[in-house]
Amino acid sequence: MATVQISEAEKVYIVHGVRDDLRVDGRGCEDYRHMEIETDVVSNTDGSARVKLGYSDILVGIKAEIGRPRPMVPDEGFLEFFVDCSANATPEFEGRGGEDLGTEISNTLYKVFNNPHSVDLRALCISPKEHCWILYVDVLLLQCDGNLYDAISVAVKAALFNTRIPRVQISEDDEGTKEIELSDDPYDCMRLSVENVPCIVTLCKVGQRHIVDATLQEKACSKACLLLSVTSRGTVTCVRKIGGGSLDPESIFEMTETGKRVGKALQSPLMELLQKEESLGKKRQKVGFLG
C-alpha cells in the first residue's frame, strides 16, 4: 500500500482533530471526500467504469466470455478479478512493487463477490454443468490517494451495472450436439441486478476514534483498520482487519456498526446516480456525489 512520511507534530494535529470530529480537510469522521463516477469509458469491454475519490483514480473494465461452470457449483457462473497497480500511481509500484497489493485486493474481491448475498451467479449459467458466463473484471489503479478498497468496490459495482451480456440461444441437432448462438443485436442483452452488490467501507482507528475514507496522511496515523463489505440491506458479506496494530472487542463492535450504517447510506445515492446517468443516454457522463 502506498504510504507517506509525516512528522510527529502532524500526527498529533491529525489525531486531535479526529478526536474533535474535525479532520484536516474539514470533514467529519464519517464523511467521504467528493467522488466522481463515469461509466462506459472503455469501448472494447462489455462494461466499464471510472471512479475518482479524492486523488485516487480507479478504472474497471469487464469482459464476458463463455466457459465451463466450476464442478462444485455447476449451475452458476463466476467472476475472475485481476488488479494492476500502475507505476504512475506511486513510485512504490514500480517494478514488482504493486504485485503484492494487487494480489491482496484481488483476494479480498473474491471474498466479497463470490457469495449468494452479493451477485446472482445463477443468472450467469447458460446450461448447468456445460456452459456459463465468466466475467473477467480488470481493475487498474491509475492514481493512489488512500482508501483504495472503497473506491474499487464502487467502480466494480458501477461497471457491473454498465455490463451488457449478449442473449444466448441453445439449439440441438439430431445427433444431440448443442450449439450456442449469440445475439448480434446490441440491445438484445442480459443485465445483472446490482442492487445487492456490496460496497466496501474501510474504517481506520485514529487515536480513540475511527474514521472512514482516510487519506494517506490519516492512514499514517492509524495502526489498524477494519474493512467491511455492506449490501444495500445492511448485510455484511466480508470482514477483514488490515494493518499491524490490534483492535479491542469494543472498538470492533463500534466500527462494525458504523461501517454498516455508512455502507447502507452509500448505496442509495450511488444507485440513483447510476440510474440517472443511464437515463441521460450519454456516454461518459461524469457525475459527482458525496462531495
Side-chain angles (χ1 to χ4, degrees):
M1 183 71 74
T3 56
V4 294
Q5 298 294 327
I6 62 175
S7 67
E8 288 300 318
E10 288 176 301
K11 287 184 179 181
V12 171
Y13 183 73
I14 291 172
V15 171
H16 285 187
V18 169
R19 182 191 61 189
D20 297 331
D21 196 24
L22 183 61
R23 295 155 74 175
V24 174
D25 53 12
R27 290 181 291 151
C29 290
E30 297 183 11
D31 295 335
Y32 274 83
R33 288 168 290 179
H34 180 74
M35 187 183 297
E36 290 184 352
I37 299 176
E38 293 180 84
T39 57
D40 201 11
V41 293
V42 184
S43 59
N44 61 343
T45 62
D46 296 300
S48 60
R50 186 173 183 176
V51 169
K52 294 181 180 180
L53 178 62
Y55 291 106
S56 291
D57 194 352
I58 312 294
L59 180 65
V60 174
I62 298 178
K63 290 287 289 183
E65 295 185 8
I66 295 177
R68 294 187 66 86
R70 291 169 173 166
M72 298 297 293
V73 279
D75 60 344
E76 294 181 359
F78 55 95
L79 285 69
E80 290 280 1
F81 294 96
F82 176 75
V83 179
D84 182 19
C85 302
S86 171
N88 294 327
T90 171
E92 296 177 35
F93 292 162
E94 290 183 0
R96 301 174 64 91
E99 286 190 6
D100 291 342
L101 176 60
T103 301
E104 180 183 344
I105 295 174
S106 297
N107 292 337
T108 300
L109 291 175
Y110 278 118
K111 294 178 181 178
V112 170
F113 286 93
N114 283 331
N115 67 74
H117 297 290
S118 299
V119 181
D120 183 12
L121 297 176
R122 291 190 176 186
L124 296 175
C125 181
I126 299 172
S127 57
K129 300 182 181 180
E130 295 180 340
H131 303 97
C132 72
W133 285 108
I134 304 172
L135 299 184
Y136 292 94
V137 183
D138 293 321
V139 180
L140 177 60
L141 275 61
L142 298 172
Q143 196 167 346
C144 179
D145 186 33
N147 201 21
L148 293 178
Y149 285 98
D150 297 29
I152 289 172
S153 71
V154 171
V156 170
K157 180 162 185 168
L160 286 171
F161 178 86
N162 182 241
T163 298
R164 271 75 169 170
I165 303 173
R167 292 283 182 186
V168 176
Q169 289 186 346
I170 300 178
S171 58
E172 188 172 339
D173 59 20
D174 296 336
E175 297 178 357
T177 303
K178 293 183 178 180
E179 293 184 359
I180 295 178
E181 183 178 350
L182 300 182
S183 174
D184 295 329
D185 185 353
Y187 295 100
D188 185 20
C189 59
M190 178 187 75
R191 301 181 64 182
L192 284 174
S193 172
V194 299
E195 193 69 34
N196 289 325
V197 171
C199 289
I200 293 176
V201 179
T202 304
L203 300 107
C204 295
K205 188 72 179 291
V206 178
Q208 298 302 311
R209 300 192 66 170
H210 51 267
I211 59 175
V212 302
D213 188 22
T215 63
L216 290 176
Q217 290 76 17
E218 291 171 332
K219 185 72 181 297
C221 302
S222 174
K223 297 297 183 182
C225 301
L226 195 66
L227 181 152
L228 299 97
S229 62
V230 185
T231 70
S232 58
R233 298 176 181 175
T235 303
V236 177
T237 64
C238 178
V239 179
R240 273 196 61 203
K241 175 192 162 293
I242 51 180
S246 60
L247 295 171
D248 60 90
E250 184 178 353
S251 294
I252 293 174
F253 175 78
E254 291 177 354
M255 293 167 79
T256 300
E257 291 302 306
T258 299
K260 290 167 65 176
R261 182 174 63 253
V262 172
K264 199 172 178 181
L266 177 66
Q267 293 275 2
S268 180
L270 174 58
M271 287 303 302
E272 289 178 6
L273 181 145
L274 293 174
Q275 291 165 358
K276 176 184 177 182
E277 182 180 6
E278 184 179 55
S279 68
L280 292 175
K282 298 178 181 178
K283 291 185 178 181
R284 305 188 183 187
Q285 178 71 28
K286 184 184 295 185
V287 185
F289 79 120
L290 296 177

